[in-house]
Coordinates of all heavy atoms in Angstrom, one line a residue:
R1 N 0.8 -1.2 0.0 CA 0.0 0.0 0.0 C 0.8 1.3 0.0 O 0.4 2.3 -0.5 CB -0.9 0.0 1.2 CG -2.1 -1.0 1.1 CD -2.9 -1.0 2.4 NE -4.1 -1.9 2.2 CZ -4.9 -2.2 3.2 NH1 -4.7 -1.8 4.4 NH2 -5.9 -3.0 3.0
M2 N 2.1 1.2 0.5 CA 2.9 2.4 0.7 C 4.0 2.4 -0.4 O 4.9 3.2 -0.3 CB 3.5 2.4 2.0 CG 2.5 2.5 3.2 SD 3.3 2.4 4.8 CE 3.7 4.1 5.1
K3 N 3.9 1.6 -1.4 CA 4.9 1.5 -2.5 C 5.1 2.9 -3.1 O 4.2 3.6 -3.5 CB 4.5 0.5 -3.6 CG 5.5 0.3 -4.6 CD 5.1 -0.9 -5.5 CE 6.2 -1.2 -6.5 NZ 5.8 -2.3 -7.5
G4 N 6.4 3.3 -3.2 CA 6.7 4.6 -3.7 C 6.9 5.6 -2.7 O 7.3 6.8 -3.0
Y5 N 6.4 5.3 -1.4 CA 6.4 6.3 -0.3 C 7.2 5.8 0.9 O 7.8 6.5 1.6 CB 5.0 6.7 0.1 CG 4.2 7.4 -1.0 CD1 3.7 6.7 -2.0 CD2 4.1 8.8 -1.0 CE1 3.0 7.3 -3.1 CE2 3.4 9.4 -2.0 CZ 2.8 8.7 -3.0 OH 2.2 9.4 -4.0
C6 N 7.2 4.5 1.1 CA 7.9 3.8 2.2 C 8.1 2.4 1.8 O 7.2 1.7 1.3 CB 7.0 3.9 3.5 SG 7.7 3.0 4.9
R7 N 9.3 1.9 2.0 CA 9.7 0.6 1.6 C 9.4 -0.4 2.7 O 9.6 -1.6 2.5 CB 11.2 0.5 1.3 CG 11.5 1.4 0.0 CD 13.0 1.7 -0.1 NE 13.3 2.6 -1.2 CZ 13.0 3.9 -1.2 NH1 12.5 4.5 -0.1 NH2 13.3 4.7 -2.3
V8 N 9.0 0.1 3.9 CA 8.8 -0.8 5.1 C 10.0 -1.7 5.2 O 9.9 -3.0 5.2 CB 7.5 -1.6 4.9 CG1 7.1 -2.3 6.2 CG2 6.3 -0.7 4.5
C9 N 11.1 -1.1 5.4 CA 12.4 -1.9 5.5 C 12.4 -2.7 6.7 O 11.8 -2.4 7.7 CB 13.6 -0.9 5.5 SG 13.8 0.2 4.1
P10 N 13.2 -3.8 6.7 CA 13.4 -4.6 7.9 C 13.9 -3.8 9.1 O 13.4 -4.1 10.2 CB 14.4 -5.7 7.5 CG 14.2 -5.8 6.0 CD 13.9 -4.4 5.5
V11 N 14.8 -2.9 8.9 CA 15.2 -2.0 9.9 C 14.9 -0.6 9.4 O 15.5 -0.1 8.4 CB 16.7 -2.1 10.1 CG1 17.2 -1.1 11.2 CG2 17.1 -3.5 10.6
C12 N 14.0 0.1 10.1 CA 13.6 1.4 9.7 C 14.6 2.5 10.2 O 14.4 3.0 11.3 CB 12.2 1.8 10.2 SG 11.5 3.4 9.8
D13 N 15.7 2.7 9.4 CA 16.7 3.6 9.8 C 17.0 4.8 8.9 O 17.9 5.6 9.1 CB 18.0 2.8 10.0 CG 18.4 2.2 8.7 OD1 17.8 2.5 7.6 OD2 19.4 1.4 8.7
G14 N 16.1 5.0 7.9 CA 16.2 6.2 7.1 C 17.2 6.2 6.0 O 17.4 7.2 5.3
R15 N 17.9 5.1 5.8 CA 19.0 5.0 4.8 C 18.4 5.0 3.4 O 18.8 5.6 2.5 CB 19.9 3.8 5.0 CG 20.7 3.9 6.3 CD 21.6 2.8 6.5 NE 22.3 2.9 7.8 CZ 23.3 3.7 8.0 NH1 23.9 4.4 7.0 NH2 23.9 3.7 9.2
A16 N 17.3 4.2 3.2 CA 16.8 4.0 1.9 C 15.9 5.1 1.4 O 15.7 5.3 0.2 CB 16.0 2.7 1.8
C17 N 15.4 5.9 2.3 CA 14.5 7.0 2.0 C 15.0 8.4 2.3 O 14.2 9.3 2.4 CB 13.2 6.8 2.8 SG 13.4 6.7 4.6
A18 N 16.3 8.5 2.4 CA 16.9 9.8 2.6 C 16.4 10.8 1.6 O 16.5 10.6 0.4 CB 18.4 9.7 2.6
G19 N 16.0 12.0 2.1 CA 15.6 13.1 1.2 C 14.1 12.9 0.7 O 13.7 13.8 0.0
E20 N 13.5 11.9 1.0 CA 12.1 11.6 0.5 C 11.0 12.3 1.4 O 10.4 11.7 2.2 CB 11.9 10.2 0.3 CG 12.8 9.5 -0.7 CD 12.5 8.0 -1.0 OE1 11.6 7.5 -0.4 OE2 13.3 7.5 -1.8
V21 N 11.0 13.6 1.2 CA 10.0 14.4 1.9 C 9.3 15.3 0.8 O 10.0 16.1 0.2 CB 10.6 15.3 3.0 CG1 9.5 16.2 3.7 CG2 11.4 14.5 4.0
P22 N 8.0 15.1 0.5 CA 7.0 14.2 1.1 C 7.4 12.8 0.9 O 8.3 12.4 0.1 CB 5.7 14.5 0.4 CG 5.9 15.9 -0.2 CD 7.3 16.0 -0.5
G23 N 6.8 11.9 1.7 CA 7.2 10.6 1.9 C 7.5 10.3 3.4 O 7.1 11.1 4.2
M24 N 8.2 9.2 3.7 CA 8.4 8.9 5.1 C 9.9 9.1 5.4 O 10.3 8.7 6.5 CB 8.0 7.5 5.3 CG 6.5 7.2 5.1 SD 5.5 8.2 6.3 CE 5.7 7.2 7.7
G25 N 10.7 9.7 4.6 CA 12.1 9.9 4.8 C 12.5 11.0 5.6 O 11.6 11.8 6.1
G26 N 13.8 11.2 5.8 CA 14.3 12.4 6.5 C 14.7 13.4 5.5 O 15.0 13.2 4.3
L27 N 14.8 14.7 5.9 CA 15.1 15.8 5.0 C 16.5 15.7 4.5 O 17.4 15.3 5.3 CB 14.8 17.1 5.8 CG 14.9 18.4 4.9 CD1 13.7 18.5 4.1 CD2 15.0 19.6 5.8
G28 N 16.8 16.1 3.3 CA 18.1 16.3 2.8 C 18.9 15.0 2.8 O 18.5 14.0 2.2
T29 N 20.0 14.9 3.5 CA 20.8 13.7 3.6 C 20.2 12.6 4.4 O 20.7 11.5 4.4 CB 22.2 14.0 4.1 OG1 22.1 14.4 5.5 CG2 22.9 15.2 3.3
G30 N 19.2 13.0 5.2 CA 18.6 12.0 6.1 C 19.4 11.9 7.4 O 19.2 11.0 8.3
S31 N 20.4 12.8 7.6 CA 21.3 12.6 8.8 C 20.5 12.7 10.1 O 20.8 12.0 11.0 CB 22.3 13.8 8.7 OG 23.0 13.9 9.9
A32 N 19.6 13.6 10.2 CA 18.8 13.8 11.5 C 18.0 12.6 11.8 O 17.8 12.2 12.9 CB 18.0 15.1 11.4
F33 N 17.4 12.0 10.7 CA 16.6 10.8 10.9 C 17.6 9.7 11.5 O 17.2 9.1 12.5 CB 16.0 10.4 9.5 CG 15.2 9.1 9.5 CD1 14.2 9.0 8.5 CD2 15.3 8.1 10.4 CE1 13.4 7.9 8.5 CE2 14.5 7.0 10.4 CZ 13.6 6.8 9.4
R34 N 18.7 9.5 10.8 CA 19.6 8.5 11.2 C 20.2 8.7 12.6 O 20.4 7.8 13.4 CB 20.7 8.3 10.2 CG 20.3 7.8 8.9 CD 21.4 7.3 8.0 NE 22.3 8.4 7.7 CZ 22.2 9.3 6.7 NH1 21.1 9.2 5.9 NH2 23.1 10.2 6.5
A35 N 20.4 10.0 12.9 CA 20.9 10.3 14.2 C 20.0 9.8 15.4 O 20.5 9.5 16.4 CB 21.1 11.8 14.3
N36 N 18.7 9.9 15.2 CA 17.8 9.3 16.2 C 18.1 7.9 16.5 O 18.1 7.5 17.6 CB 16.4 9.5 15.7 CG 15.9 10.9 15.9 OD1 16.3 11.7 16.7 ND2 15.0 11.4 15.0
L37 N 18.2 7.1 15.4 CA 18.5 5.7 15.6 C 19.9 5.4 16.2 O 20.0 4.6 17.1 CB 18.4 4.9 14.2 CG 17.0 4.5 13.6 CD1 16.4 3.5 14.5 CD2 16.1 5.7 13.5
Q38 N 20.9 6.1 15.7 CA 22.2 5.9 16.1 C 22.4 6.3 17.6 O 23.2 5.6 18.3 CB 23.2 6.8 15.2 CG 23.3 6.3 13.8 CD 23.8 7.3 12.9 OE1 24.1 8.5 13.3 NE2 24.1 6.9 11.6
A39 N 21.7 7.3 18.1 CA 21.9 7.7 19.5 C 21.4 6.6 20.4 O 21.9 6.3 21.4 CB 21.1 9.0 19.7
L40 N 20.3 6.0 20.0 CA 19.7 4.9 20.8 C 20.6 3.7 20.7 O 20.8 2.9 21.7 CB 18.3 4.6 20.4 CG 17.2 5.6 20.9 CD1 15.9 5.4 20.2 CD2 17.1 5.5 22.4
A41 N 21.0 3.4 19.5 CA 21.8 2.1 19.3 C 23.1 2.2 20.0 O 23.7 1.1 20.4 CB 22.1 2.0 17.8

């Protein structure tokens, strides 16, 4: 259902969808999205 907007990755870490805004990705390089995951990991 979300094809083209979200890949529903096994690990939702923002790598595959960087820059996809609109969509479910993070803005630009996706660095801020990934930083959320990295800080917890």
Side-chain angles (χ1 to χ4, degrees):
R1 289 178 175 171
M2 300 174 84
K3 188 174 183 180
Y5 295 81
C6 177
R7 294 159 184 80
V8 190
C9 298
V11 178
C12 177
D13 59 9
R15 295 183 183 279
C17 56
E20 295 182 3
V21 180
M24 298 296 284
L27 188 73
T29 67
S31 169
F33 183 153
R34 293 193 299 275
N36 283 328
L37 278 292
Q38 291 163 354
L40 282 169

